[in-house]
Amino acid sequence: MLDLFSDEAPWAEPLADGAVILRRRARQQGEALLTSIAQIAEQNPFQHRITPGGYRMSVAMTNCGDLGWSSDSRGYQYTEADNLSGHRWPAMPQPFRLLAQTAAQEAGFAGFQPDACLINRYEPGAKLSLHQDKDEKDLHQPIVSVSLGLPAVFQFGGFARGDGVQRVLLEHGDVVVWGGPSRLRFHGILPVKPGVHPLAGPYRYNLTFRRAR
């Protein structure tokens, strides 16, 4: 496991054409990012959404930004307000936006302007099945995904659910960016193992930045 307090500089680890892991990229910002997540969750608490098929998601989620992603019996959608509370999503903190933009630029995607940030909270055993991010209007925009807290195994596959997958360990502060020829690759998270992180406690958090409209 990476040393949380190591001074080793971030580095880029290619995944595929148009996809890269920026190792440790957000590590020094981790404590501030987690504080902002807690503040967002005070305004819009984490919820276990229901899939269109009627299943309770093991991952708890909230959102910030102009739009938020959610799921219910009607399907998956981006909305300006939470369909559970009717309240608008909290504003996206400027450090979130700057991190997403600079990480995207470092990965070769200049001009990224995220308008949605999905915040997932994983407790031990929680997972995210293989899926594509395809609900966004402009699929030329990349995805920027920031890992915080407990480590997890990220699955990065092909363009069909049954394609082979790469499995890579993501740790606190790692940022994955994918777009261009990799934009519609299937991806997911294997069940998170129990542990206690010095900053995040018994959880893994993930920030997923997108341009939804």
Side-chain angles (χ1 to χ4, degrees):
M1 183 178 296
L2 295 180
D3 180 356
L4 181 64
F5 303 104
S6 170
D7 291 328
E8 187 172 354
W11 72 93
E13 180 180 313
L15 267 178
D17 187 14
V20 64
I21 304 174
L22 303 175
R23 294 288 188 186
R24 301 176 183 254
R25 177 61 180 77
R27 181 176 56 85
Q28 292 187 349
Q29 299 162 261
E31 187 170 5
L33 294 172
L34 288 165
T35 296
S36 291
I37 290 172
Q39 293 169 347
I40 291 166
E42 287 180 0
Q43 301 175 61
N44 187 273
F46 283 98
Q47 301 278 355
H48 292 271
R49 302 282 170 166
I50 303 300
T51 69
Y55 295 98
R56 176 182 181 270
M57 298 182 72
S58 64
V59 176
M61 57 184 58
T62 185
N63 291 269
C64 64
D66 296 335
L67 297 171
W69 185 93
S70 64
S71 171
D72 60 22
S73 60
R74 298 170 297 173
Y76 304 113
Q77 62 268 323
Y78 283 100
T79 57
E80 294 182 349
D82 184 351
N83 60 346
L84 295 179
S85 68
H87 298 150
R88 291 186 66 92
W89 302 107
M92 186 184 302
Q94 186 59 25
F96 279 30
R97 188 182 308 277
L98 182 60
L99 171 60
Q101 290 172 329
T102 55
Q105 183 167 350
E106 289 167 17
F109 300 100
F112 181 47
Q113 296 292 335
D115 57 9
C117 175
L118 171 62
I119 307 172
N120 285 336
R121 187 185 69 191
Y122 295 76
E123 58 189 32
K127 64 180 182 178
L128 201 59
S129 300
L130 286 172
H131 65 283
Q132 295 169 299
D133 287 357
K134 58 181 181 180
D135 299 320
E136 300 75 35
K137 291 184 177 179
D138 184 0
L139 296 179
H140 293 95
Q141 297 287 330
I143 304 294
V144 176
S145 176
V146 181
S147 293
L148 299 167
L150 292 178
V153 175
F154 178 61
Q155 298 189 97
F156 197 63
F159 301 99
R161 191 180 300 276
D163 290 347
V165 299
Q166 300 180 65
R167 293 182 175 89
V168 294
L169 185 67
L170 297 180
E171 300 188 276
H172 179 73
D174 288 342
V175 179
V176 185
V177 183
W178 66 96
S182 285
R183 177 61 175 76
L184 288 176
R185 285 182 179 270
F186 277 82
H187 56 281
I189 293 289
L190 292 179
V192 172
K193 295 181 178 180
V196 177
H197 187 272
L199 299 177
Y203 298 112
R204 174 186 188 259
Y205 294 91
N206 180 253
L207 307 175
T208 304
F209 295 94
R210 306 180 179 118
R211 181 73 187 180
R213 63 182 177 189

